[in-house]
Amino acid sequence: MDTHVWLHHAETGGYWECPVPAVDDWRSRGWVPSDPPPPAPDPAVAEGLAWREQQAAASADTPPTTTRARRGSTKEQ
C-alpha cells in the first residue's frame, strides 16, 4: 500500500508528495492528486546547449579570414 500521493496545485504549479491520510485536507486548499512532476532539466546540459548556441552565433557574425583555392583549378595566377 502506498503511503504518499503526488498532489498538484493548478494555481501555483507546485507538486507535493502528500501522506495519504492528509489528502482530503489539502484538496480543500486546491491540491489535487496527480502524476509525479516532470523531471527537471539538467543545468549542465542547458549550459552546454547555451554555449553551443553562442559559439554558432559568434561564428555566423564573423566573416572567414582566409579563402581556399579550388582543387583541380587550371587557372594560372
Side-chain angles (χ1 to χ4, degrees), residues 18-74:
C18 175
V20 171
V23 170
D24 289 335
D25 294 335
W26 287 96
R27 279 185 195 222
S28 65
R29 299 176 186 172
W31 293 86
V32 295
S34 74
D35 291 329
D42 185 340
V45 171
E47 184 178 323
L49 292 173
W51 180 82
R52 286 183 182 181
E53 288 175 7
Q54 288 175 342
Q55 297 303 309
S59 66
D61 293 340
T62 307
T65 56
T66 60
T67 58
R68 296 164 132 184
R70 252 198 283 179
R71 284 189 181 181
S73 176
T74 58

Side-chain angles (χ1 to χ4, degrees), residues 7-22:
L7 299 181
H8 176 67
H9 196 279
E11 187 177 324
T12 65
Y15 287 89
W16 180 49
E17 198 168 11
C18 175
V20 171

